[in-house]
Amino acid sequence: MRVYVPLTLPGLAQAHKAGELGPGPLTAYAVTPALREWYVSDDIEELEYAALSRAAAASLRLVAGDPEAPRRRVVVAVDVPDKDAAADPDRGLDAGAIGEVRIAAAVALAKAAAVHADADDAEADVTAAAAALGAADQGDDDAQFVVDGAEDHELLWFGIQEIPSLLG
């Protein structure tokens, strides 16, 4: 199963240094039955993109929680055995948890398929979105518009061998 692990650039640097994503449990996003029902599509590429987008939104929350982190969303795509990705049935009705899975143990970074990250030109919008998250969570439509502005930026694809240059 392909899962998408949300990170920050410092989190990616730590994973690169350690050679693994972890320690577990890790929160990731995948094509789950709940995501299939929510997205209403049978196209696996569209469903994978929806899972990636959910992970990018989670990465934004991580960025917002770390004032020292560069204002760029980061998601690592990694393949894990299906049995290693468990959805929490207690959170099945929580709209924020759609597609969310838990990976119990650390995952070797060598198993990663790719890294997805914002380009430099997304930093201003990601900065504004991170600052507006709290108000958006409280139902402020203007703040939600700002948060949605970060989602207008497509994450770029990077091979695992490109992590050192991505980290700068």
Side-chain angles (χ1 to χ4, degrees), residues 57-81:
S59 175
L60 177 63
R61 291 194 175 279
L62 294 173
V63 167
D66 182 355
E68 300 299 316
R71 297 343 227 178
R72 292 173 66 192
R73 300 166 298 162
V74 177
V75 175
V76 177
V78 63
D79 295 318
V80 299

Side-chain angles (χ1 to χ4, degrees), residues 17-33:
K17 181 178 179 183
E20 66 183 16
L21 297 165
L26 297 169
T27 298
Y29 294 82
V31 178
T32 63

Side-chain angles (χ1 to χ4, degrees), residues 91-163:
R91 296 199 60 204
L93 298 177
D94 179 358
I98 293 172
E100 190 175 284
V101 295
R102 295 274 185 276
I103 311 298
V107 178
L109 195 56
K111 291 187 176 190
V115 176
H116 301 272
D118 278 312
D120 292 337
D121 68 353
E123 285 189 40
D125 287 336
V126 172
T127 299
L133 265 176
D137 288 346
Q138 298 299 314
D140 183 321
D141 289 338
D142 291 334
Q144 185 62 53
F145 181 78
V146 173
V147 171
D148 293 345
E151 294 174 9
D152 290 341
H153 293 274
E154 295 288 329
L155 297 180
L156 302 177
W157 184 95
F158 296 90
I160 298 306
Q161 70 278 9
E162 296 178 276
I163 291 175

Side-chain angles (χ1 to χ4, degrees), residues 8 16 19 22 35 54 69 77 113-114 125 146 153 158 167-168:
T8 60
H16 182 63
L35 185 114
R54 303 290 289 178
D125 287 336
V146 173
H153 293 274
F158 296 90
L167 295 173

